[in-house]
């Protein structure tokens, strides 16, 4: 019967599907092909059932009938499995640090610096380990407890004179890098640096101070290890009672509490480091006020003049004399007055003395500190004698100031309004004082009360009070004296006042 093979096909079809569902979680092997339909087809044909084509067409129908038989619905095919994640690569250390060398060293420490490795990798760089061992051994010991983050390290607490081999290792999660080692062992000892005295600029020339002042000079220098400093004055050792010296690693201080003239001289500082030395010298000059001139005398007296001469002071105050000050005093009053200041010669002539007076003179010396406290005074006196001189005053010819009148400012034409006052002004000069006359239309005004005439210091004015219609015309001013006369004229125009009410009508 054609309907019998369907259950057989259906059972044979279901088993591989269940196997596939069970095997789906396993990622590695692929599912095997379905052998059931191929093997059962000939058997069905031998039993006289439907041909293979009917069997194949019946298989999908049987699958579609599966829910009707009460079986579970078929599930969706499982997605293809992802390939397995490869294991992470092993972590590797960095390459060795580079450029390791000694930056500085002293008697108990060594300072080294280096550069980071050229190849660091994905693991990064956590820090550095600094290791040392004495020369001749291989007993390497780390000197830093924690990883050093920077590329500089000071190896402290070492013994002076030891020779150390030094190396640096970079560390990360991959472990230690190959070390970088100094090519030669390092001797733990201060590096000798040639000494050099840095003499300040103001001490390269003569340093001048006054007696009693405090001297405090600082001289810086360089050199390693700490230089040995020594001072001398004029080639001999310093007097420690007068001069104090205090030296440090960087400078030396020369101190004098209260300077005296004996402290002047050439001071030399010498700085030594092992077999090297450097020297510098400075000149110290202590000065004070000079003494007075040794002597002063009156050489000659004539007329109203006195000639003086004096000699230089014995004590110049330890500096050159810059000049002299000469003063005179009248015997009657005894008060001294300066006649010469900052005078450079050793002789002088004092002039413009008063006849009949007796004079004394004194001379002070000067230097850069000032004028001497005392002066050299003349022993003799200079008396200016009276002589029989008749004074004849010069004769002067009296100047003739006579001058004819002349107007220096002319009259100007003017215009005025009826009922308003106005003034005419001009100026005139002449000697003797000229007589002034005012005229209107060639007629002398005289003492008319309508007009007011004033002439003060050559300024002439004519005031016309409340001018009327008939006051217009030509006004003239005439000035005359014994040497002549002058006349000037102007025109006065009197206008009618404008009545605004008349215009409105």
């Amino acid at each position: 019967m054609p309907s019998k093979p369907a259950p057989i096909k259906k059972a044979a079809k279901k088993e591989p599907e269940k196997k596939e569902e069970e095997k789906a979680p396993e990622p590695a092997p692929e599912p095997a092909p379905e052998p059931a339909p191929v093997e059962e087809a000939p058997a069905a044909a031998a039993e006289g059932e439907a041909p293979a084509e009917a069997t194949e067409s019946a298989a999908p129908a049987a699958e579609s009938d599966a829910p009707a038989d009460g079986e579970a619905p078929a599930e969706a095919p499982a997605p293809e499995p992802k390939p397995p994640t490869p294991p992470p690569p092993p972590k590797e250390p960095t390459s060795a640090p580079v450029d390791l060398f000694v930056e500085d060293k002293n008697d108990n420490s060594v300072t080294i610096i280096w550069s980071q490795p050229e190849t660091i990798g994905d693991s990064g760089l956590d820090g550095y380990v600094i290791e040392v061992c004495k020369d001749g051994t291989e007993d390497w010991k780390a000197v830093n407890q924690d990883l050093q983050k920077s590329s500089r390290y000071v190896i402290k607490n070492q013994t002076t004179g030891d020779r150390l081999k030094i190396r640096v290792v970079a560390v990360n999660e991959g472990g230690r890098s190959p070390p970088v080692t100094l090519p030669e062992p390092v001797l733990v000892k201060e590096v000798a640096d040639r000494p050099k005295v840095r003499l300040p600029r103001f001490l390269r020339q003569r340093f001048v101070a006054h007696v009693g002042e405090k001297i405090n000079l600082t001289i810086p220098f360089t050199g390693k290890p700490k230089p040995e400093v020594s001072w001398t004055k004029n080639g001999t050792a310093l007097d420690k009672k007068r001069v104090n010296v205090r030296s440090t690693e960087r400078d030396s201080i020369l101190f004098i509490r209260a300077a005296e003239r004996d402290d002047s001289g050439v001071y030399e500082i010498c700085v030594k480091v092992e077999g090297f030395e450097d020297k510098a010298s400075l000149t110290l000059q202590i000065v004070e006020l000079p003494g007075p001139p040794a002597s002063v005398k009156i050489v000659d007296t004539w007329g109203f003049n006195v000639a003086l001469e004096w000699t230089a002071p014995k004590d110049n105050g330890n500096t050159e004399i810059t000049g002299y000050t000469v003063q005179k005093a009248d015997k009657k009053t005894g008060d001294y007055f300066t006649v010469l200041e900052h005078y450079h010669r050793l002789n002088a002539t004092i002039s413009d003395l008063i006849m009949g007076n007796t004079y004394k003179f004194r001379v002070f010396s000067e230097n850069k500190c000032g004028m001497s406290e005392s002066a050299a005074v003349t022993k003799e006196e200079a008396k200016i004698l009276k002589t029989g001189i008749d004074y004849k005053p010069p004769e002067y010819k009296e100047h003739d100031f006579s001058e004819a009148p002349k107007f220096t400012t002319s009259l100007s034409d003017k215009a005025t309004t009826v009922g308003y006052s106005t003034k005419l002004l001009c100026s005139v000069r002449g000697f003797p004082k000229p007589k002034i006359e005012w005229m209107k239309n060639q007629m002398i005004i005289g003492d008319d009360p309508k007009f007011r005439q004033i002439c003060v210091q050559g300024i002439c004015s004519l005031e016309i009070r409340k001018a009327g219609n008939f006051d217009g015309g030509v006004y003239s001013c005439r000035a005359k004296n014994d040497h002549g006369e002058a006349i000037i004229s102007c025109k006065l125009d009197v206008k009618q006042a404008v009545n605004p009410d008349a215009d409105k009508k």
Side-chain angles (χ1 to χ4, degrees), residues 327-331 333-337 358-361:
Q327 296 179 344
K328 68 176 181 180
D330 186 0
K331 188 177 180 180
T333 61
D335 296 332
Y336 279 96
F337 298 92
T358 301
Y359 292 93
K360 294 185 70 174
F361 300 89

Side-chain angles (χ1 to χ4, degrees), residues 220-237:
F221 54 79
T222 58
K224 287 183 179 181
K226 181 180 179 181
E228 297 179 4
V229 182
S230 61
W231 284 86
T232 59
K233 175 189 173 185
N234 299 328
T236 60

Side-chain angles (χ1 to χ4, degrees), residues 106-358:
N106 54 33
D107 290 340
N108 54 18
S109 68
V110 178
T111 302
I112 58 173
I113 59 176
W114 63 91
S115 299
Q116 68 178 11
E118 295 180 353
T119 303
I120 295 178
D122 297 334
S123 300
L125 177 62
D126 296 338
Y128 301 94
V129 175
I130 296 88
E131 299 177 341
V132 300
C133 76
K134 292 186 177 181
D135 188 23
T137 67
E138 293 299 326
D139 185 15
W140 292 96
K141 294 181 179 180
V143 294
N144 57 325
Q145 297 179 355
D146 300 328
L147 292 179
Q148 177 68 10
K149 301 299 183 181
S150 65
S151 299
R152 183 179 183 274
Y153 189 77
V154 180
I155 305 173
K156 301 179 181 179
N157 303 324
Q158 301 301 311
T159 304
T160 303
D162 284 353
R163 290 184 175 274
L164 300 179
K165 294 189 292 185
I166 303 173
R167 69 183 184 185
V168 178
V169 177
V171 179
N172 65 2
E173 294 181 358
R176 293 164 53 94
S177 71
V180 57
T181 309
L182 288 175
E184 295 180 359
V186 179
L187 178 62
V188 181
K189 186 179 180 182
E190 185 79 34
V191 178
D193 187 9
R194 284 178 176 270
K196 180 64 177 178
V197 180
R198 310 289 183 182
L199 192 65
R201 186 180 298 276
F202 73 95
L203 292 177
R204 296 176 188 176
Q205 300 178 351
R206 186 183 301 271
F207 182 79
V208 180
H210 295 178
V211 170
E213 287 185 348
K214 183 188 299 183
I215 307 298
N216 192 350
L217 304 177
T218 301
I219 314 298
F221 54 79
T222 58
K224 287 183 179 181
K226 181 180 179 181
E228 297 179 4
V229 182
S230 61
W231 284 86
T232 59
K233 175 189 173 185
N234 299 328
T236 60
L238 296 181
D239 183 3
K240 295 184 178 180
K241 296 180 180 179
R242 293 284 318 139
V243 183
N244 295 321
V245 175
R246 186 182 66 184
S247 300
T248 65
E249 295 180 356
R250 298 181 178 180
D251 54 37
S252 183
I253 299 175
L254 181 71
F255 178 75
I256 302 175
R257 187 174 300 278
E260 297 180 359
R261 288 177 59 174
D262 292 340
D263 295 326
S264 302
V266 179
Y267 290 79
E268 185 179 69
I269 179 175
C270 180
V271 181
K272 293 183 179 180
V273 174
E274 295 182 354
F276 306 102
E277 69 176 23
D278 189 29
K279 296 181 179 180
S281 60
L282 60 96
T283 303
L284 184 61
Q285 183 178 2
I286 310 300
V287 300
E288 61 180 344
L289 295 175
S295 63
V296 60
K297 62 181 179 177
I298 298 175
V299 179
D300 193 10
T301 302
W302 74 99
F304 305 102
N305 309 302
V306 172
L308 298 176
E309 283 186 359
W310 60 89
T311 56
K314 295 180 180 179
D315 181 11
N316 62 1
N318 200 28
T319 183
E320 62 180 354
I321 298 297
T322 58
Y324 299 92
T325 297
V326 182
Q327 296 179 344
K328 68 176 181 180
D330 186 0
K331 188 177 180 180
K332 295 179 182 179
T333 61
D335 296 332
Y336 279 96
F337 298 92
T338 300
V339 293
L340 293 174
E341 279 186 307
H342 314 306
Y343 190 76
H344 295 283
R345 297 182 181 179
L346 296 176
N347 53 72
T349 299
I350 311 302
S351 303
D352 300 329
L353 301 175
I354 298 174
M355 183 185 298
N357 287 359
T358 301

